[in-house]
Amino acid sequence: MKIDHIAFAAQSLDQARAYALQRFGVKLPAGGKHPLMGTHNLVTRIAPGIFLEFIAIDPEAPAPNRTRWFALDRLMQEGKLEDAPRLFGWVASLPGLARNATDLSQHELLEVSRGDLRWHFFHRKDGEAEAGGCLPAMIDWAGGKSPVDNMQDVGLHLNQFQLAHPEMAAIRAKLDGLGWDAACPENRYVAFADAARPALSLVLDTPNGRVQIEGGGV
């Protein structure tokens, strides 16, 4: 099990593009559409094996027959994305996800596509983040090959992704039980901390210098 990507929820992709240009000094590349969820995204590689995603409701897509992932329905209804995109959470890759997915009372295992990409995705049915974003949704790319190597590098480089939670020991135990390998090159970017409330902290090296973004708990 290793970190696959870090996700921001955005009001729109235009908002995400403007945010990245102002905050980081980069133009975010287009990703694609997710017909199952009525969403679309922008993606860019930020480290070997890791990418950054900004995801938003696709205004041209029909409404899905389910709650959208990344809590986009609730965040839009509550106006929490009006000022800027929000650092929402992260996704970890887990080979054999379809065989290992359990606890389907509150979660669901989806078969998803975007263009010619196919993957399994395991998340909460209500689209909310686990443990304020400290526990990841899980993904298993078809053929075991993430598209990250084909993504454009626009000059954003991951320095650290910190997870903070009042029950961090329990979160670490759950990750370890799923096969988290702290020595994996991708996972060395992930730091764990005790805190009074759930929080995420993303540190990126950008054309505008080092930028730290706080999030989680949304």
Side-chain angles (χ1 to χ4, degrees):
M1 184 188 194
K2 62 184 181 181
I3 184 170
D4 187 84
H5 64 277
I6 299 166
F8 281 73
Q11 185 178 51
S12 69
L13 295 192
D14 285 343
Q15 180 201 55
R17 289 187 186 96
Y19 173 87
L21 189 60
Q22 185 274 327
R23 204 71 206 272
F24 309 141
V26 302
K27 293 181 179 180
L28 290 176
K33 296 175 179 287
H34 315 106
L36 180 68
M37 287 289 181
T39 57
H40 54 176
N41 64 3
L42 307 172
V43 292
T44 184
R45 187 171 68 251
I46 56 173
I50 305 173
F51 67 93
L52 187 68
E53 173 183 43
F54 283 79
I55 191 163
I57 292 174
D58 181 357
E60 298 179 353
N65 61 354
R66 58 181 7 102
T67 301
R68 290 180 177 91
W69 46 20
F70 302 102
L72 282 167
D73 294 308
R74 177 181 62 81
L75 293 175
M76 289 291 285
Q77 289 166 4
E78 295 178 355
K80 291 190 174 180
L81 303 177
E82 289 181 358
D83 294 335
R86 302 284 294 271
L87 174 57
F88 181 82
W90 60 297
V91 178
S93 64
L94 183 65
L97 180 57
R99 298 190 303 273
N100 296 310
T102 58
D103 186 21
L104 292 174
S105 59
Q106 293 184 322
H107 299 77
E108 61 182 351
L109 180 68
L110 303 172
E111 291 189 40
V112 191
S113 64
R114 177 171 69 78
D116 59 356
L117 293 174
R118 302 287 183 275
W119 66 92
H120 283 111
F121 193 81
F122 183 77
H123 75 141
R124 279 176 46 154
K125 292 178 182 177
D126 61 8
E128 297 294 334
E130 296 273 7
C134 291
L135 280 172
M138 290 181 277
I139 198 166
D140 185 10
W141 297 99
K145 182 66 175 174
S146 164
V148 66
D149 291 339
N150 297 322
M151 292 180 185
Q152 188 178 350
D153 179 344
V154 296
L156 298 182
H157 299 129
L158 179 58
N159 181 278
Q160 186 184 73
F161 183 51
Q162 181 178 274
L163 318 174
H165 197 277
E167 299 177 6
M168 184 51 69
I171 288 172
R172 290 295 305 272
K174 187 165 185 177
L175 290 172
D176 290 343
L178 289 166
W180 180 260
D181 180 4
C184 174
E186 290 92 337
N187 293 348
R188 292 177 184 173
Y189 291 100
V190 182
F192 302 92
D194 294 307
R197 61 179 182 83
L200 306 176
S201 181
L202 173 63
V203 181
L204 295 170
D205 291 320
T206 82
N208 284 351
R210 184 160 292 176
V211 176
Q212 181 167 335
I213 302 155
E214 307 300 329
V218 297

